[in-house]
Amino acid sequence: MSRPSSDQADPSAPLRPGDYSGSRDDDRETRDDRDIVQPTLGVIGWMRWGWRQLTSMRTALVLLLLLAIAAIPGSIVPQRGADPNGVTQWRADNPDLYPVLDALQLFDVYTSAWFSAIYILLFVSLIGCVIPRTKHHWQAMKSRPPRTPVRLSRLADHRTAGVALAEGEDAAAAAASVIDDAQRQLRKSGYRVERYDAGGTASVSAERGYLRETGNLVFHGALVGVLLSVGIGGGVTYTGQTVIIEGDTFVNSLGLGYTSFNPGRFVDTDEMPPYSLTLDSFDVSYGEFTGEPGHGMAGDFQANLTVAEPGEQPRDGDVRVNHPYEIEGDRIYLMGNGYAPTITVRNAAGDIVFNETVPFLPQDNNMTSQGVVKIADGMPEQLGLVGFFYPTAATLASGAVGSAYGDLTNPLVTFWVYQGDLGIDDGTPRSVYTLDPTGMEQIAGADSGVASLELEPGQTVDLPDGLGTVTFQDERTAGADESVKRYVSLSIHRDVGAPFVLVFAILATLGLLAGLFVPRRRLWVKATPVDGALRIEYAGLARGEDPAIAQAVADLERNHLAHLGRPEAEVPAETARPRRPRPARADAPDVD
């Protein structure tokens, strides 16, 4: 066996480039040694490459997964926008870890730079992915089904049947009639069909399943809609919290009624809907108290409101757990409740220096509550009273006072008294629900040497050192049903984007179902006259995995033949077409 050299090659053969990497070693000896050099992309080329990577479906899925992972800290760590008091408490409980998490913006996850970067990249990726695919899909839907392959027997899902022709029947006309019947059957099954007849052979090409790609595009387009709805809707959304005591009124104005308020970037606080809410009463039902653990628990809560709007008559409204009240696009949720004793403090001269109804925050299921009274003026020094309220006061096994039941049966309030600087004169914001005793002297309660103050409704006790008196007002003297008022904590939420998020979420679900369960397939039926009969071929091809494609071809054959009603006939199988020999290569080896 010999091998021709390069100078003996056929001169008519096409020349190869000098840097052709597939050349034989002995051919390389006749050329200059050269390294393969890839073309440089340049700035534009790298930008194009980066854009294609960003707008690929793989990148969009990775970014979607990253967005879901990035949202996890928002459900673990309290967020300033939703729970500012929780952030303050978390800082007090974890003073060493707080600066680290705050630097990572984990208390503002959904407005952080890193979350916004993932959000924006996902948004761009989805748009860049959906638009070209939509254009391509639209062109594919307008195109004709593909021509019938010449040799259907090469397809994996292929079946052949034969039917007899009547004596003297025109074979070409019979083939066309058979395919007409198959065409009607396929069109009735939801396929797009196209006829391809030539040389006495008739065939129909059918395809369906474009709804699968439509579903994929709807799914990804709906994700873009969700992102837009959340992004734009978040800019015009606001959330606020307020506390209303029985008999008091909340006005929907930023400077009047809110204890905390978190507006979106585009919220105009001067254009908030005008309305007011008056808490008439708060109803709560308790289970029967038997003294056993778990008994006497609260079962149902309802805040009875009077709602007023400009130019309209006041109307009744109620807010219950998981049943918000809607007004002017705002949704009002019941977040919590508690007791609000009315406390009056007089100085040594008998002048009233404090007279307010103070909300006490519940500490357990039996409504043991804690509240703070701060007196900045009218006393020789500033006073701070840390109080504990017990709706059903009882002596526990440890000897301490506690609440045995959540309802008012034996109300009692106790106070520890501090004297000194409250820390409010320097302008530093302070919570009305907590007292920092740093730098203050405790003059009653705990280890001060003076017993804590204990008061029942209507009772007055003296402050230490002759500073004055404290009175626990009995509200029944003012015509109220109970001796202690109750309060509710309400959350006022306005979310313009929520309906759009819901619509796009439904569209995304429908699109995902279509993309998962609608098969994309093509079917062909061809009738060929052979020896006084018709050879009918059925074939199918699936795009992607479709385990039902073979059954679809079998059903098509069975139904079609049953509808034809022609007698079966033996027909020869399709003759395989011989392969054409490949032209000899100029550098092919000679065989001796």
Side-chain angles (χ1 to χ4, degrees):
M1 186 167 57
S2 62
R3 185 189 305 275
S5 61
S6 58
D7 57 346
Q8 295 173 340
D10 185 0
S12 63
L15 298 178
R16 294 175 177 171
D19 62 348
Y20 175 62
S21 61
S23 302
R24 300 181 182 275
D25 293 339
D26 54 350
D27 291 336
R28 293 181 184 176
E29 297 176 357
T30 64
R31 296 192 300 268
D32 297 335
D33 293 334
R34 301 176 185 177
D35 294 333
I36 299 175
V37 180
Q38 295 181 349
T40 58
L41 291 179
V43 177
I44 302 299
W46 280 109
M47 291 178 63
R48 183 182 296 111
W49 178 86
W51 173 254
R52 288 176 178 174
Q53 297 302 312
L54 177 61
T55 55
S56 67
M57 186 58 64
R58 184 184 300 105
T59 302
L61 293 176
V62 171
L63 289 172
L64 186 62
L65 177 62
L66 285 178
L67 189 71
I69 295 174
I72 293 176
S75 62
I76 299 176
V77 181
Q79 301 296 294
R80 285 193 178 92
D83 187 11
N85 293 331
V87 175
T88 303
Q89 185 62 43
W90 204 96
R91 180 177 184 177
D93 296 339
N94 305 273
D96 297 330
L97 189 57
Y98 175 82
V100 178
L101 270 61
D102 191 37
L104 295 175
Q105 298 180 304
L106 293 183
F107 297 105
D108 303 279
V109 168
Y110 306 111
T111 57
S112 63
W114 50 271
F115 189 87
S116 300
I118 299 174
Y119 186 93
I120 294 173
L121 286 175
L122 175 60
F123 181 76
V124 174
S125 178
L126 285 174
I127 292 180
C129 178
V130 169
I131 292 178
R133 286 184 60 180
T134 301
K135 180 180 178 181
H136 182 270
H137 181 56
W138 177 253
Q139 293 174 346
M141 291 182 64
K142 294 191 300 181
S143 63
R144 299 168 59 191
R147 298 185 65 88
T148 305
V150 175
R151 300 200 175 277
L152 292 176
S153 58
R154 293 183 177 181
L155 298 180
D157 300 299
H158 172 262
R159 303 175 74 90
T160 302
V163 294
L165 294 176
E167 185 177 357
E169 185 178 6
D170 183 53
S177 175
V178 166
I179 296 303
D180 286 341
D181 191 86
Q183 181 175 351
R184 286 191 296 269
Q185 181 177 331
L186 288 168
R187 183 179 287 115
K188 187 177 180 180
S189 299
Y191 286 85
R192 295 194 311 147
V193 297
E194 187 71 25
R195 286 289 294 272
Y196 295 102
D197 298 349
T201 298
S203 66
V204 60
S205 176
E207 65 177 354
R208 75 173 183 181
Y210 280 98
L211 186 60
R212 184 189 188 95
E213 179 65 9
T214 302
N216 287 328
L217 294 175
V218 168
F219 171 73
H220 291 95
L223 289 183
V224 176
V226 170
L227 292 176
L228 283 173
S229 301
V230 172
I232 299 176
V236 294
T237 294
Y238 62 78
T239 300
Q241 289 77 37
T242 186
V243 173
I244 311 179
I245 301 171
E246 284 181 327
D248 290 351
T249 299
F250 161 78
V251 177
N252 189 35
S253 175
L254 182 58
L256 296 178
Y258 286 99
T259 56
S260 64
F261 188 75
N262 302 287
R265 183 172 301 176
F266 310 116
V267 172
D268 185 358
T269 56
D270 295 330
E271 298 296 330
M272 297 171 64
Y275 60 84
S276 65
L277 307 173
T278 301
L279 179 61
D280 299 323
S281 62
F282 179 75
D283 299 332
V284 55
S285 61
Y286 290 93
E288 182 181 357
F289 176 64
T290 63
E292 298 292 333
H295 286 230
M297 302 296 291
D300 191 22
F301 307 90
Q302 179 172 313
N304 301 306
L305 306 172
T306 297
V307 183
E309 295 181 77
E312 297 186 12
Q313 292 292 327
R315 61 183 184 274
D316 295 333
D318 62 82
V319 184
R320 293 175 291 147
V321 177
N322 298 326
H323 291 81
Y325 184 81
E326 298 189 18
I327 177 174
E328 295 290 338
D330 290 358
R331 307 191 79 183
I332 301 168
Y333 296 87
L334 179 62
M335 304 301 294
N337 70 94
Y339 291 98
T342 301
I343 307 300
T344 301
V345 180
R346 291 179 171 84
N347 59 20
D351 298 327
I352 297 177
V353 295
F354 183 90
N355 183 25
E356 293 184 16
T357 302
V358 183
F360 278 52
L361 302 182
Q363 305 296 309
D364 58 29
N365 291 332
N366 289 328
M367 300 299 289
T368 300
S369 307
Q370 182 179 1
V372 172
V373 173
K374 297 180 180 181
I375 304 172
D377 301 305
M379 290 289 190
E381 291 187 73
Q382 293 180 345
L383 289 183
L385 284 71
V386 178
F388 292 88
F389 177 75
Y390 311 97
T392 301
T395 302
L396 305 179
S398 61
V401 178
S403 179
Y405 188 39
D407 204 0
L408 283 175
T409 59
N410 183 31
L412 177 71
V413 65
T414 64
F415 286 108
W416 291 355
V417 184
Y418 294 85
Q419 182 176 258
D421 184 11
L422 293 172
I424 60 178
D425 293 336
D426 59 358
T428 303
R430 304 281 180 171
S431 173
V432 297
Y433 300 107
T434 60
L435 175 68
D436 183 4
T438 304
M440 302 186 73
E441 177 187 3
Q442 187 171 6
I443 60 176
D447 299 329
S448 64
V450 179
S452 60
L453 309 183
E454 296 186 2
L455 300 92
E456 297 179 354
Q459 188 176 1
T460 300
V461 298
D462 294 329
L463 287 168
D465 302 329
L467 294 176
T469 61
V470 180
T471 303
F472 179 9
Q473 299 292 145
D474 189 339
E475 294 300 324
R476 286 175 296 191
T477 59
D481 295 334
E482 300 288 352
S483 59
V484 181
K485 291 183 178 181
R486 302 202 66 145
Y487 72 87
V488 295
S489 175
L490 302 179
S491 175
I492 294 95
H493 186 67
R494 185 180 187 88
D495 192 353
V496 178
F500 298 96
V501 172
L502 176 62
V503 170
F504 285 120
I506 294 174
L507 287 176
T509 302
L510 295 177
L512 181 61
L513 293 175
L516 290 176
F517 298 110
V518 174
R520 178 77 182 274
R521 60 174 61 145
R522 288 170 178 168
L523 296 178
W524 292 276
V525 182
K526 183 166 68 172
T528 306
V530 288
D531 301 333
L534 289 179
R535 180 176 62 240
I536 306 177
E537 297 177 78
Y538 306 88
L541 181 65
R543 181 172 182 178
E545 293 188 10
D546 185 2
I549 183 65
Q551 185 62 42
V553 175
D555 292 341
L556 174 62
E557 178 193 24
R558 183 181 64 255
N559 296 333
H560 183 228
L561 293 177
H563 191 268
L564 288 178
R566 289 175 176 264
E568 297 183 7
E570 293 291 335
V571 294
E574 183 183 14
T575 304
R577 178 181 297 179
R579 294 181 178 271
R580 291 179 298 176
R582 294 182 179 180
R585 291 169 45 184
D587 58 350
D590 293 334
V591 180
D592 293 335

